[in-house]
Amino acid sequence: MSDPETSGTAAASSTSRDRGASDKHRGTHVAKLALGALGVVYGDVGTSPLYALKECVTLPHGVAPSVENIFGILSLIFWAITLVVSFKYIVYIMRADNNGEGGVLSLTALAARIGAFGGASSGEESKKTKRHNWADVRGASRPLIMLGLFGASLLYGEGVITPAITVLSAVEGLEVATRTFSPIVVPLTCAILIVLFWFQKRGTAGIGAIFGPVTLLWFIAIGACGLPWIIRHPAILGAINPIHAVRFFVAHGGHGFLVLGSVVLCITGTEALYADMGHFGRRAIRLAWYACVFPALLLSYFGQGALLLERPEAVVNPFYGVVPQGWLYPMVVVATADRSP
């Protein structure tokens, strides 16, 4: 006969191994989802360093690349990314899911249901919910639905302009190497956009599988290019202090708020965090942001700022200005490939 104590110990050990294997499998699954999320969720915000800082310091709509202005703009960029993405979306908005789904239309449906039924969910309130007719629902939901449609229209507008500006900004890197490529920049951009949108028929999973590794390479590359300049001018990290943003507004008044319109380019496409939550889940999207996207973006923006401190003339294209000369063409290729629709 077997010893009950020994049998119990063996059973507990087996259960522990099964739990460990399950946790390992779950962790691997989340990591794969996070890689896919890089290609689908973070394609837009990941390519923002191509043009965001450049637009802020391009006259006449921008400001001159003086030391004070660079610190002020970088402070605005840092706090825009931190507050809008890390706090608003990652911490707050992603909790408001509609049966695991996100996006402006899912949020509209959730808000309309709560508005129509007052959040009834159980017991007698649930029975009352069933007795509401569709006329009541439409009447209570109309203002919320209109807001949802307005939000959807803004999303459509962003979807029209963002692919064009990001691919064009990526291909413009060829002009940094030589002006010989200038005549083909626009035709090449159009051809690339056609190919990228053709990939859309593969669906979210297909796009994530294809562009996930490419986007990971992109974030590693932009972080690696920005880091040496930060090491070269570590004082640029002082732009994290929000006082620089306040001083920027005080110095420029109304024009400073116009520049804020260019600063917003650094968070373009972040609504995808919420919209694609149903495809990848909160854990994968949050893991990709904190482990890869957030640090890479900060390294890129602050690296560009450090470059402008030393070479204000690099304002023509500060993103490619931080790229080592020998890596310019490969960076153009990766930047273009990363622009997944």
Side-chain angles (χ1 to χ4, degrees):
M1 293 181 64
S2 60
D3 187 353
E5 184 175 346
T6 304
S7 299
T9 303
S13 177
S14 176
T15 302
S16 178
R17 286 196 301 270
D18 291 342
R19 187 181 298 111
S22 177
D23 292 342
K24 182 178 180 180
H25 175 74
R26 189 180 300 109
T28 302
H29 180 63
V30 172
K32 289 181 179 179
L33 288 175
L35 181 61
L38 284 177
V40 176
V41 176
Y42 295 110
D44 283 349
V45 70
T47 51
S48 294
L50 282 165
Y51 51 82
L53 184 59
K54 172 186 174 182
E55 292 303 316
C56 293
V57 291
T58 299
L59 299 173
H61 57 274
V63 294
S66 65
V67 174
E68 295 80 8
N69 289 341
I70 292 171
F71 271 78
I73 291 170
L74 283 180
S75 184
L76 288 172
I77 289 176
F78 172 80
W79 287 107
I81 295 175
T82 301
L83 294 178
V84 174
V85 185
S86 295
F87 178 72
K88 174 186 170 183
Y89 278 102
I90 296 292
V91 175
Y92 183 68
I93 295 294
M94 291 184 70
R95 295 182 180 181
D97 67 288
N98 185 10
N99 296 322
E101 296 291 335
V104 63
L105 296 181
S106 293
L107 183 61
T108 301
L110 178 64
R113 187 166 67 247
I114 294 175
F117 302 129
S121 59
S122 63
E124 193 64 29
E125 292 181 337
S126 180
K127 294 178 182 179
K128 291 179 181 179
T129 295
K130 296 178 181 179
R131 289 198 294 268
H132 278 276
N133 58 46
W134 284 109
D136 295 333
V137 175
R138 288 196 297 269
S141 305
R142 188 174 291 113
L144 294 173
I145 291 175
M146 293 302 296
L147 286 174
L149 293 176
F150 177 70
S153 67
L154 295 178
L155 179 62
Y156 297 152
E158 189 273 338
V160 169
I161 191 174
T162 301
I165 192 174
T166 51
V167 174
L168 181 61
S169 298
V171 179
E172 281 178 343
L174 295 174
E175 294 183 310
V176 176
T178 172
R179 303 297 297 182
T180 305
F181 291 107
S182 296
I184 69 169
V185 167
V186 174
L188 181 58
T189 298
C190 293
I192 292 170
L193 284 170
I194 292 172
V195 173
L196 290 176
F197 276 102
W198 178 79
F199 272 102
Q200 275 195 320
K201 68 179 183 180
R202 295 176 176 268
T204 302
I207 293 175
I210 294 172
F211 289 101
V214 174
T215 308
L216 176 61
L217 177 61
W218 167 254
F219 283 119
I220 293 173
I222 65 174
C225 288
L227 181 59
W229 287 94
I230 297 175
I231 295 175
R232 194 166 175 169
H233 299 281
I236 196 66
L237 295 177
I240 294 175
N241 190 336
I243 294 297
H244 293 289
V246 175
R247 289 174 178 170
F248 179 83
F249 284 126
V250 171
H252 295 281
H255 188 69
F257 283 93
L258 294 179
V259 175
L260 190 60
S262 297
V263 171
V264 171
L265 291 172
C266 74
I267 54 174
T268 181
T270 51
E271 70 282 345
L273 278 75
Y274 183 59
D276 291 315
M277 183 170 61
H279 297 293
F280 301 101
R282 295 186 188 89
R283 291 183 61 190
I285 292 175
R286 287 170 175 167
L287 174 63
W289 174 254
Y290 286 116
C292 179
V293 182
F294 192 34
L297 289 177
L298 294 184
L299 288 174
S300 180
Y301 283 120
F302 279 80
Q304 292 179 53
L307 167 72
L308 293 178
L309 290 180
E310 181 177 315
R311 292 164 41 197
E313 67 276 9
V315 68
V316 177
N317 203 320
F319 175 81
Y320 284 108
V322 301
V323 179
Q325 190 65 31
W327 292 96
L328 187 59
Y329 290 118
M331 183 63 82
V332 172
V333 173
V334 176
T336 305
D338 174 60
R339 179 45 266 174
S340 55

Coordinates of all heavy atoms in Angstrom, one line a residue, residues 8-56:
G8 N 0.1 12.2 -1.1 CA -0.4 13.6 -1.1 C 0.7 14.6 -1.5 O 0.4 15.6 -2.2
T9 N 2.0 14.3 -1.1 CA 3.1 15.1 -1.5 C 3.3 15.1 -3.0 O 3.6 16.1 -3.6 CB 4.4 14.7 -0.7 OG1 4.1 14.7 0.7 CG2 5.5 15.6 -1.1
A10 N 3.2 13.9 -3.6 CA 3.4 13.7 -5.0 C 2.3 14.5 -5.8 O 2.5 15.1 -6.8 CB 3.4 12.3 -5.4
A11 N 1.1 14.4 -5.3 CA -0.1 15.1 -5.9 C 0.1 16.6 -5.9 O -0.1 17.3 -6.9 CB -1.4 14.7 -5.3
A12 N 0.6 17.1 -4.7 CA 0.8 18.5 -4.6 C 1.9 19.0 -5.5 O 1.9 20.0 -6.1 CB 1.2 18.8 -3.1
S13 N 3.0 18.1 -5.6 CA 4.1 18.5 -6.5 C 3.7 18.5 -8.0 O 4.0 19.4 -8.7 CB 5.2 17.4 -6.3 OG 6.3 17.7 -7.2
S14 N 2.8 17.5 -8.3 CA 2.3 17.5 -9.7 C 1.4 18.7 -10.0 O 1.5 19.3 -11.1 CB 1.5 16.2 -9.9 OG 0.9 16.2 -11.2
T15 N 0.6 19.1 -9.0 CA -0.2 20.3 -9.2 C 0.6 21.5 -9.3 O 0.3 22.4 -10.1 CB -1.2 20.4 -8.0 OG1 -2.0 19.3 -7.9 CG2 -2.1 21.6 -8.1
S16 N 1.7 21.6 -8.6 CA 2.6 22.8 -8.6 C 3.2 22.8 -10.0 O 3.3 23.9 -10.6 CB 3.6 22.7 -7.5 OG 4.5 23.7 -7.6
R17 N 3.7 21.7 -10.5 CA 4.3 21.7 -11.8 C 3.3 22.1 -12.9 O 3.6 22.8 -13.8 CB 4.8 20.3 -12.1 CG 6.1 19.9 -11.4 CD 6.8 18.7 -12.0 NE 6.0 17.5 -12.0 CZ 5.9 16.7 -11.0 NH1 6.7 16.8 -10.0 NH2 5.1 15.6 -11.1
D18 N 2.1 21.6 -12.8 CA 1.0 21.9 -13.8 C 0.8 23.4 -13.8 O 0.6 24.1 -14.8 CB -0.3 21.2 -13.5 CG -0.1 19.7 -13.8 OD1 0.9 19.3 -14.5 OD2 -0.9 18.9 -13.3
R19 N 0.7 24.0 -12.5 CA 0.4 25.4 -12.4 C 1.6 26.2 -13.0 O 1.4 27.2 -13.7 CB 0.2 25.8 -10.9 CG -0.2 27.2 -10.7 CD -0.4 27.6 -9.3 NE -1.4 26.7 -8.6 CZ -1.2 25.8 -7.7 NH1 0.1 25.6 -7.3 NH2 -2.2 25.1 -7.2
G20 N 2.8 25.8 -12.7 CA 4.0 26.4 -13.3 C 4.0 26.4 -14.8 O 4.3 27.4 -15.4
A21 N 3.7 25.2 -15.4 CA 3.6 25.1 -16.8 C 2.5 26.0 -17.4 O 2.7 26.6 -18.5 CB 3.4 23.6 -17.2
S22 N 1.4 26.1 -16.7 CA 0.3 26.9 -17.2 C 0.7 28.4 -17.1 O 0.4 29.1 -18.1 CB -1.0 26.7 -16.3 OG -2.0 27.5 -16.7
D23 N 1.3 28.8 -16.1 CA 1.8 30.2 -16.0 C 2.8 30.5 -17.1 O 2.8 31.6 -17.6 CB 2.4 30.5 -14.6 CG 1.4 30.4 -13.5 OD1 0.2 30.5 -13.8 OD2 1.8 30.3 -12.3
K24 N 3.7 29.6 -17.3 CA 4.7 29.8 -18.4 C 4.0 29.9 -19.7 O 4.4 30.8 -20.6 CB 5.7 28.6 -18.4 CG 6.8 28.8 -19.4 CD 7.8 27.6 -19.3 CE 8.9 27.8 -20.3 NZ 9.9 26.7 -20.3
H25 N 3.0 29.0 -20.0 CA 2.3 29.1 -21.3 C 1.5 30.4 -21.4 O 1.5 31.0 -22.5 CB 1.3 27.9 -21.3 CG 0.5 27.9 -22.6 ND1 0.9 27.6 -23.8 CD2 -0.9 28.2 -22.7 CE1 -0.1 27.7 -24.7 NE2 -1.1 28.1 -24.0
R26 N 0.9 30.8 -20.3 CA 0.2 32.1 -20.3 C 1.1 33.3 -20.6 O 0.8 34.2 -21.3 CB -0.5 32.3 -19.0 CG -1.5 33.4 -19.0 CD -2.2 33.6 -17.6 NE -3.0 32.4 -17.3 CZ -2.7 31.6 -16.3 NH1 -1.6 31.8 -15.6 NH2 -3.4 30.5 -16.0
G27 N 2.3 33.2 -19.9 CA 3.3 34.3 -20.2 C 3.7 34.4 -21.6 O 3.9 35.4 -22.2
T28 N 4.0 33.2 -22.2 CA 4.4 33.1 -23.6 C 3.3 33.6 -24.5 O 3.6 34.3 -25.5 CB 4.8 31.7 -24.0 OG1 5.8 31.2 -23.1 CG2 5.2 31.6 -25.4
H29 N 2.1 33.3 -24.2 CA 0.9 33.7 -25.0 C 0.8 35.2 -25.0 O 0.6 35.9 -26.0 CB -0.3 33.0 -24.5 CG -1.6 33.4 -25.2 ND1 -1.7 33.1 -26.6 CD2 -2.7 34.1 -24.9 CE1 -2.9 33.6 -27.0 NE2 -3.5 34.2 -26.0
V30 N 1.0 35.8 -23.8 CA 0.9 37.3 -23.6 C 2.0 38.0 -24.4 O 1.8 39.0 -25.0 CB 0.9 37.7 -22.1 CG1 1.0 39.2 -22.0 CG2 -0.4 37.2 -21.4
A31 N 3.2 37.4 -24.3 CA 4.3 37.9 -25.0 C 4.1 37.9 -26.6 O 4.4 38.9 -27.2 CB 5.6 37.2 -24.7
K32 N 3.5 36.9 -27.1 CA 3.2 36.8 -28.5 C 2.1 37.8 -28.9 O 2.2 38.5 -29.9 CB 2.7 35.4 -28.9 CG 3.8 34.3 -28.8 CD 3.3 33.0 -29.2 CE 4.4 31.9 -29.2 NZ 3.8 30.6 -29.6
L33 N 1.1 38.0 -28.0 CA 0.1 39.0 -28.3 C 0.7 40.4 -28.2 O 0.3 41.3 -29.0 CB -1.0 38.9 -27.2 CG -1.9 37.7 -27.4 CD1 -2.9 37.6 -26.2 CD2 -2.7 37.7 -28.7
A34 N 1.6 40.6 -27.3 CA 2.3 41.9 -27.2 C 3.1 42.2 -28.5 O 3.1 43.4 -28.9 CB 3.2 42.0 -26.0
L35 N 3.7 41.2 -29.0 CA 4.5 41.4 -30.3 C 3.5 41.8 -31.4 O 3.8 42.7 -32.2 CB 5.3 40.2 -30.6 CG 6.1 40.2 -31.9 CD1 7.2 41.3 -31.8 CD2 6.8 38.9 -32.2
G36 N 2.4 41.1 -31.5 CA 1.4 41.4 -32.5 C 0.8 42.8 -32.3 O 0.6 43.5 -33.2
A37 N 0.7 43.2 -31.0 CA 0.1 44.5 -30.7 C 1.1 45.6 -31.2 O 0.6 46.7 -31.6 CB -0.1 44.7 -29.2
L38 N 2.4 45.3 -31.1 CA 3.3 46.3 -31.6 C 3.1 46.7 -33.1 O 3.1 47.9 -33.5 CB 4.8 45.8 -31.5 CG 5.4 45.8 -30.1 CD1 6.8 45.1 -30.2 CD2 5.5 47.2 -29.5
G39 N 2.8 45.7 -33.9 CA 2.6 45.9 -35.3 C 1.2 46.6 -35.6 O 1.1 47.3 -36.6
V40 N 0.2 46.3 -34.8 CA -1.1 46.8 -35.1 C -1.5 48.0 -34.3 O -2.0 49.0 -34.9 CB -2.2 45.7 -34.9 CG1 -3.6 46.2 -35.1 CG2 -1.9 44.5 -35.8
V41 N -1.2 48.0 -33.0 CA -1.7 49.0 -32.1 C -0.7 50.2 -32.2 O -1.2 51.4 -32.1 CB -1.8 48.5 -30.7 CG1 -2.2 49.6 -29.7 CG2 -2.8 47.4 -30.6
Y42 N 0.6 50.0 -32.2 CA 1.5 51.1 -32.1 C 2.2 51.5 -33.3 O 3.2 52.2 -33.3 CB 2.6 50.6 -31.0 CG 2.0 50.4 -29.7 CD1 1.9 49.1 -29.1 CD2 1.5 51.5 -28.9 CE1 1.3 49.0 -27.8 CE2 1.0 51.3 -27.6 CZ 0.9 50.0 -27.1 OH 0.4 49.9 -25.9
G43 N 1.7 51.1 -34.5 CA 2.3 51.6 -35.8 C 2.2 53.1 -35.9 O 3.2 53.7 -36.4
D44 N 1.1 53.7 -35.6 CA 1.0 55.2 -35.8 C 1.8 56.0 -34.8 O 2.6 56.8 -35.2 CB -0.5 55.6 -35.6 CG -1.3 55.2 -36.9 OD1 -0.7 54.9 -37.9 OD2 -2.6 55.3 -36.8
V45 N 1.6 55.7 -33.5 CA 2.3 56.5 -32.5 C 3.8 56.2 -32.7 O 4.7 57.1 -32.3 CB 1.8 56.2 -31.1 CG1 2.2 54.8 -30.7 CG2 2.3 57.2 -30.1
G46 N 4.2 55.0 -33.1 CA 5.6 54.7 -33.3 C 6.3 55.5 -34.4 O 7.5 55.7 -34.3
T47 N 5.6 55.9 -35.4 CA 6.2 56.7 -36.5 C 6.1 58.2 -36.3 O 6.6 58.9 -37.1 CB 5.6 56.3 -37.8 OG1 4.1 56.4 -37.7 CG2 5.9 54.9 -38.2
S48 N 5.5 58.6 -35.2 CA 5.3 60.0 -34.9 C 6.7 60.7 -34.8 O 6.8 61.9 -35.1 CB 4.5 60.2 -33.7 OG 3.2 59.8 -33.9
P49 N 7.7 60.1 -34.2 CA 9.0 60.8 -34.2 C 9.6 61.2 -35.5 O 10.5 62.1 -35.6 CB 10.0 59.7 -33.5 CG 9.0 58.9 -32.7 CD 7.8 58.8 -33.5
L50 N 9.0 60.7 -36.6 CA 9.5 61.1 -37.9 C 9.2 62.5 -38.2 O 9.9 63.2 -38.9 CB 8.8 60.2 -39.0 CG 9.4 58.8 -39.2 CD1 8.4 58.0 -40.0 CD2 10.7 58.8 -39.9
Y51 N 8.1 63.0 -37.6 CA 7.7 64.4 -38.0 C 7.2 65.3 -36.9 O 7.1 66.5 -37.1 CB 6.5 64.3 -39.0 CG 5.4 63.4 -38.6 CD1 4.4 63.8 -37.7 CD2 5.3 62.0 -39.0 CE1 3.4 63.0 -37.3 CE2 4.3 61.2 -38.7 CZ 3.3 61.7 -37.8 OH 2.3 60.8 -37.4
A52 N 6.9 64.7 -35.7 CA 6.3 65.6 -34.6 C 7.2 66.7 -34.2 O 6.8 67.9 -34.2 CB 5.9 64.7 -33.5
L53 N 8.4 66.4 -33.8 CA 9.3 67.5 -33.3 C 9.7 68.4 -34.5 O 9.8 69.6 -34.3 CB 10.6 66.9 -32.7 CG 11.6 67.9 -32.1 CD1 10.9 68.7 -31.0 CD2 12.8 67.1 -31.5
K54 N 9.8 67.9 -35.7 CA 10.2 68.7 -36.8 C 9.1 69.7 -37.1 O 9.4 70.9 -37.4 CB 10.3 67.8 -38.1 CG 10.4 68.5 -39.4 CD 10.4 67.5 -40.5 CE 10.4 68.3 -41.9 NZ 10.3 67.3 -43.0
E55 N 7.8 69.4 -37.0 CA 6.7 70.3 -37.2 C 6.7 71.4 -36.1 O 6.3 72.5 -36.4 CB 5.4 69.6 -37.2 CG 5.2 68.7 -38.4 CD 5.4 69.4 -39.8 OE1 4.8 70.6 -39.9 OE2 6.1 68.9 -40.6
C56 N 7.1 71.1 -34.9 CA 7.1 72.0 -33.8 C 8.1 73.1 -34.0 O 8.0 74.2 -33.5 CB 7.3 71.3 -32.5 SG 6.0 70.2 -32.0

